[in-house]
Amino acid sequence: GGPGTIFGDAADDRTLVLANWAASPTDGVVNLAAVSGVHLAVLYACRTQVTSSLRVGVLHAESSLVSVQQPLEADELRIVGGNWTLSSHTLRATTMSVGAGAALHAQADSGSLSLSATSLVVAGLVSARYVRIEATDMRLTGDGTVDADGLGDAQGAGTGAGWASNSYGYHGD
């Protein structure tokens, strides 16, 4: 459950690799509070908490449980798969992708989730009572879904529903 190895190359680009799946919610959780100056962070099959502001060049996450409790910013954020829980802080990236195997949720059922990116691609699930998205370019691909209140499809459930998905053929073009 301890921090992963940080590798450095000749150009002094630093890479952090974590792959430490824990059997219980409290066993082996890696706290990313002390990580700084990392260009590439790879999270694979691990439990991770962001408990202080974090800035990385590229963050790649697969099959991981990530709790974002403080601001997280990246040049490129690739959430290929796994479950992310966000507090009220905005998740920021120049390029952000939420893969088909990924789900982003608000920490509290009545909470909000905020994403900010120049380019945002959602193939997975973004779900919270309130969802705020700032993006120059946003695309829903495949079964990509943004569920803003959990009431169901806006076309079938009437006023107040906040469901957006790609099931009606809109590809963001």
Side-chain angles (χ1 to χ4, degrees):
T5 304
I6 296 179
F7 302 95
D9 66 8
D12 201 28
D13 285 344
R14 296 177 58 186
T15 301
L16 170 67
V17 179
L18 298 175
N20 69 326
W21 183 253
S24 74
T26 56
D27 179 37
V29 175
V30 175
N31 185 344
L32 291 181
V35 175
S36 64
V38 172
H39 298 91
L40 170 64
V42 178
L43 308 177
Y44 181 76
C46 62
R47 294 178 190 268
T48 308
Q49 293 179 349
V50 177
T51 56
S52 66
S53 293
L54 178 63
R55 171 79 173 93
V56 295
V58 178
L59 179 67
H60 178 94
E62 277 185 64
S63 305
S64 295
L65 300 178
V66 180
S67 173
V68 180
Q69 301 165 5
Q70 293 295 321
L72 172 60
E73 186 174 344
D75 293 329
E76 185 177 350
L77 181 56
R78 297 180 284 205
I79 306 170
V80 177
N83 193 356
W84 284 50
T85 305
L86 283 71
S87 67
S88 59
H89 299 283
T90 301
L91 193 60
R92 297 182 188 280
T94 304
T95 303
M96 185 184 308
S97 61
V98 180
L104 276 60
H105 303 278
Q107 189 170 3
D109 290 339
S110 61
S112 64
L113 186 147
S114 183
L115 305 176
S116 177
T118 302
S119 175
L120 173 64
V121 177
V122 178
L125 174 65
V126 175
S127 176
R129 179 72 175 160
Y130 302 98
V131 176
R132 181 173 176 253
I133 296 175
E134 294 178 20
T136 304
D137 175 41
M138 178 181 166
R139 289 178 287 137
L140 295 172
T141 62
D143 291 329
T145 303
V146 176
D147 184 354
D149 67 5
L151 294 179
D153 190 300
Q155 291 186 0
T159 305
W163 179 278
S165 72
N166 201 26
S167 60
Y168 297 99
Y170 178 71
H171 299 281
D173 298 326

